[in-house]
Amino acid sequence: MRPRGVHVAAAVLCALSGPVLAACGSAGTGGLESAGPTRPAVGPVRLWPDLPPATNPPIDYGESDIQRVPDIRVTGDDVRSADAVEVVRAEVRARPDARTGPDGLYEETARAVAACASEPASCPVMRPYYRDLTGDGREELIVGIRMPEQQVAVRVYRAERGGLTRIMSTVDQVISVELAGRDLIMRVGSAGIPGYEYRTAWSWDERQGSMLPTRDEIVRVGPSGGRTPAGRLPGPGPSGTTGSSGTTGAGPSPVPPPPPEEAP
């Protein structure tokens, strides 16, 4: 048997709450109302479950991007003590004929990098940025290199053991590069799909010891978004590999906007 004081307290509460506690109108039931039928949950269904397992072991995606930069020393494992132009020049000196892979640059770009000291106005190495992308409390060095056909090489370096290790290298027809938390987000023109662009988030992977493209999406950016990137034309790119936009080479596209005055 419920004590009389409980009924009195409930009545006082309903009187004070008014319309806020609409459930008080159903005496003795608690006033609960059904929200209607709920759509049943549908779990994943595996298609072709009899497919045999892969016979070849998977390749570590970011393994080829990890390179120790030769002849570069950093003070106190502080990437700000390293000159970004000298870092890229050191890589070009070590592999001057690299036209494909993570070290790949156009021949004219490699020559311009080598001449950055004597012709700084024509140096394709853009202003560096700094951000802790690995979560170890220390900043990484983020470098961009302009190339022909509006391609941009983006490279990230980590300071360790008194030197620099490159943990990311990619080349694509970049519209913009952004920093969001510990992610580096690249917007790239879509491959022949007007009104769309690719957005790839590169994130640090502790197991690989490198930055990996952890999220890749295609986004509509038509008139409602206020911008529509130009489609890409097929052609040989400097890396010889497929970028996040799914093609090599580049065609006309918006020029990457200038970087902000201060890094985030």
Side-chain angles (χ1 to χ4, degrees):
M1 180 177 182
R2 181 176 298 178
R4 180 174 179 275
V6 173
H7 294 284
V8 175
V12 173
L13 179 61
C14 289
L16 293 177
S17 302
V20 177
L21 295 179
C24 292
S26 301
T29 65
L32 298 179
E33 297 181 2
S34 173
T38 302
R39 182 175 298 178
V42 179
V45 178
R46 183 180 178 183
L47 305 184
W48 305 295
D50 297 331
L51 288 175
T55 56
N56 296 326
I59 299 176
D60 290 338
Y61 184 87
E63 184 176 355
S64 62
D65 295 335
I66 305 173
Q67 296 283 348
R68 187 75 168 179
V69 183
D71 304 325
I72 295 294
R73 307 296 298 174
V74 295
T75 304
D77 283 345
D78 182 5
V79 292
R80 290 180 181 263
S81 65
D83 183 85
V85 174
E86 289 303 315
V87 171
V88 180
R89 292 183 66 190
E91 292 184 314
V92 172
R93 286 194 302 267
R95 289 167 286 274
D97 299 324
R99 301 292 176 259
T100 62
D103 294 303
L105 294 176
Y106 283 97
E107 183 177 354
E108 53 265 49
T109 303
R111 289 198 303 264
V113 168
C116 279
S118 58
E119 301 177 16
S122 303
C123 184
V125 181
M126 297 186 287
R127 171 188 174 181
Y129 284 86
Y130 305 91
R131 172 66 69 93
D132 179 12
L133 299 175
T134 63
D136 63 355
R138 293 181 297 160
E139 293 175 319
E140 275 66 54
L141 169 63
I142 306 169
V143 175
I145 308 170
R146 293 184 183 273
M147 293 191 291
E149 301 182 4
Q150 298 191 0
Q151 299 246 356
V152 177
V154 179
R155 299 179 179 181
V156 178
Y157 304 86
R158 183 186 190 189
E160 56 182 4
R161 302 189 303 276
L164 282 183
T165 300
R166 191 181 65 205
I167 59 175
M168 173 184 166
S169 178
T170 187
V171 178
D172 220 320
Q173 188 183 7
V174 176
I175 298 173
S176 71
V177 182
E178 303 170 353
L179 289 171
R182 288 166 49 193
D183 290 341
L184 190 149
I185 301 173
M186 296 178 58
R187 291 175 48 216
V188 177
S190 62
I193 311 178
Y196 290 84
E197 70 182 24
Y198 287 94
R199 295 181 187 174
T200 303
W202 291 76
S203 308
W204 168 252
D205 185 276
E206 184 70 30
R207 180 177 178 181
Q208 294 292 320
S210 66
M211 300 285 291
L212 299 182
T214 53
R215 292 187 300 279
D216 202 354
E217 60 181 349
I218 182 170
V219 181
R220 179 166 179 81
V221 287
S224 60
R227 60 185 186 276
T228 302
R232 297 179 51 165
L233 302 179
S239 66
T241 58
T242 301
S244 59
S245 56
T247 62
T248 58
S253 76
V255 176
E261 289 300 322
E262 294 295 336

